[in-house]
Amino acid sequence: MLTYKEAIKIRRSVRNYENKAIEPGLLLKVSELLKDPEIGPYGNKPRFVLVEKSDAKKNYKVKLGTYGFISNARYFIGGAIEKFEYSEVDYGYSLENIIIELTRLGLGTCWLGGSLNRKDYETLLKLKEDEIIPCITPVGYHAQSKRFLEKIKDKFSDPSQRKPPEELFFENTPVIPLEFNKKYKYNQVLELLRLAPSAMNKQPWRVIKIDNKYHFYIDRKKKESGKSIDLQKVDIGIALCHFKIGVKELSLNGKWHISDPGVGEWEYIISWIAE
């Protein structure tokens, strides 16, 4: 099986699926992953369901769509989390953990948030009044041939198109790039963070290292108003997941902590204290 580092490096957004059932033993593994998802950095755990389109239509009278560009997906993972200021961060972190595990199992996925019809999943999840549904993902076997639209979308999710380290990682202030020697273990961890997917590949995360602390921020180029779901907080949750996977893979120690150093104009999210 792939290592977590390998899974992060090969994972792509899959939009065209083979129209066939997932093998029963593999489907059981997927269900087990959803039973006990990772707790997010802010200490909250989402809940997830695995839904087959035919079952949704038959048992819930819900017709799951293609959401604009998903082809032949027979299964979807939907989830909900209690609403609070950083719920999307914890949700992105937790679902990305599942997605990386699914990649290791040889299954394809694709983050869906902006084009999602959430009312379908409100029914399927029996959504509570204090919960939100930030994103979902289809899951299945990747079809060999790609449609034209999928090839276009791939340009936005191609890891080779990620910003260089000097635009993302800084030391002491937001204007001094971090010296990025890949022999240093924490720089290897940041490299895995750099490969994280994000909506339209905007990569809104920024990291400032001060002494033994790594401070995580969102660099908002444009304030989004009137939207119930903050997708950039989902994005940084995904990035934090990659960071934590790297820490674990390299047997490093530390902890999440709220420790805003008050530097720069970016939106502070959380810090990691390296031990």
Side-chain angles (χ1 to χ4, degrees):
M1 184 180 281
L2 294 170
T3 66
Y4 290 96
K5 186 188 301 185
E6 289 169 339
I8 283 175
K9 289 182 177 179
I10 72 163
R11 192 253 165 198
R12 300 290 187 277
S13 296
V14 175
R15 298 173 178 86
N16 191 19
Y17 293 82
E18 290 187 13
N19 188 13
K20 70 176 186 180
I22 297 175
E23 182 269 324
L26 192 52
L27 201 60
L28 180 60
K29 290 181 180 179
V30 176
S31 297
E32 288 298 319
L33 282 174
L34 303 187
K35 285 182 180 179
D36 190 25
E38 287 280 335
I39 296 173
Y42 274 87
N44 295 275
K45 182 188 290 189
R47 59 187 182 91
F48 296 101
V49 294
L50 176 66
V51 183
E52 187 169 5
K53 285 180 70 173
S54 59
D55 288 343
K57 185 177 181 179
K58 179 181 177 182
N59 298 323
Y60 295 92
K61 310 303 180 186
V62 172
K63 186 177 180 181
L64 301 181
T66 63
Y67 307 112
F69 52 86
I70 299 298
S71 176
N72 296 323
R74 291 178 60 167
Y75 303 88
F76 289 85
I77 293 172
I81 189 169
E82 185 177 342
K83 178 62 177 174
F84 75 108
E85 187 177 359
Y86 297 102
S87 53
E88 290 97 334
V89 176
D90 279 353
Y91 188 92
Y93 180 95
S94 188
L95 184 52
E96 181 68 359
N97 265 287
I98 292 169
I99 283 174
I100 295 302
E101 292 286 4
L102 295 174
T103 303
R104 297 180 73 220
L105 292 172
L107 293 170
T109 55
C110 183
W111 278 92
L112 298 177
S115 61
L116 173 62
N117 182 358
R118 289 178 173 80
K119 288 194 175 296
D120 294 341
Y121 291 89
E122 289 175 8
T123 299
L124 295 169
L125 285 156
K126 299 178 181 177
L127 195 71
K128 300 173 185 176
E129 188 174 345
D130 61 347
E131 290 182 322
I132 58 170
I133 301 171
C135 297
I136 65 162
T137 178
V139 59
Y141 301 109
H142 191 179
Q144 294 302 310
S145 61
K146 289 188 176 183
R147 298 179 301 156
F148 176 71
L149 184 57
E150 182 172 22
K151 292 178 181 178
I152 293 175
K153 293 284 186 180
D154 279 352
K155 292 182 180 180
F156 291 104
S157 60
D158 183 358
S160 67
Q161 302 301 314
R162 299 291 192 267
K163 289 181 172 68
E166 60 267 24
E167 293 184 24
L168 301 172
F169 311 130
F170 303 86
E171 189 157 18
N172 297 321
T173 77
V175 296
I176 302 175
L178 179 67
E179 186 177 342
F180 208 75
N181 183 343
K182 289 187 179 180
K183 292 182 179 180
Y184 182 51
K185 285 189 175 182
Y186 264 101
N187 285 0
Q188 295 174 38
V189 172
L190 290 174
E191 175 61 16
L192 295 181
L193 183 155
R194 192 178 72 88
L195 298 177
S198 58
M200 297 302 292
N201 205 19
K202 289 182 178 179
Q203 306 155 73
W205 48 79
R206 300 292 182 268
V207 183
I208 299 178
K209 179 182 181 294
I210 302 176
D211 298 324
N212 68 326
K213 295 180 181 179
Y214 292 82
H215 304 285
F216 296 86
Y217 300 83
I218 295 176
D219 180 12
R220 295 190 189 271
K221 301 299 184 185
K222 180 181 178 183
K223 290 286 185 181
E224 296 182 347
S225 59
K227 293 189 177 182
S228 59
I229 304 299
D230 190 335
L231 292 180
Q232 291 196 324
K233 283 185 177 176
V234 173
D235 289 342
I236 198 164
I238 295 170
L240 293 174
C241 169
H242 282 217
F243 183 88
K244 186 61 181 298
I245 286 174
V247 165
K248 187 175 180 179
E249 283 276 270
L250 293 169
S251 301
L252 301 171
N253 295 310
K255 62 182 179 180
W256 299 116
H257 187 65
I258 308 301
S259 181
D260 185 356
V263 297
E265 298 180 354
W266 300 327
E267 181 180 336
Y268 174 78
I269 299 297
I270 202 166
S271 302
W272 176 263
I273 302 176
E275 296 176 353

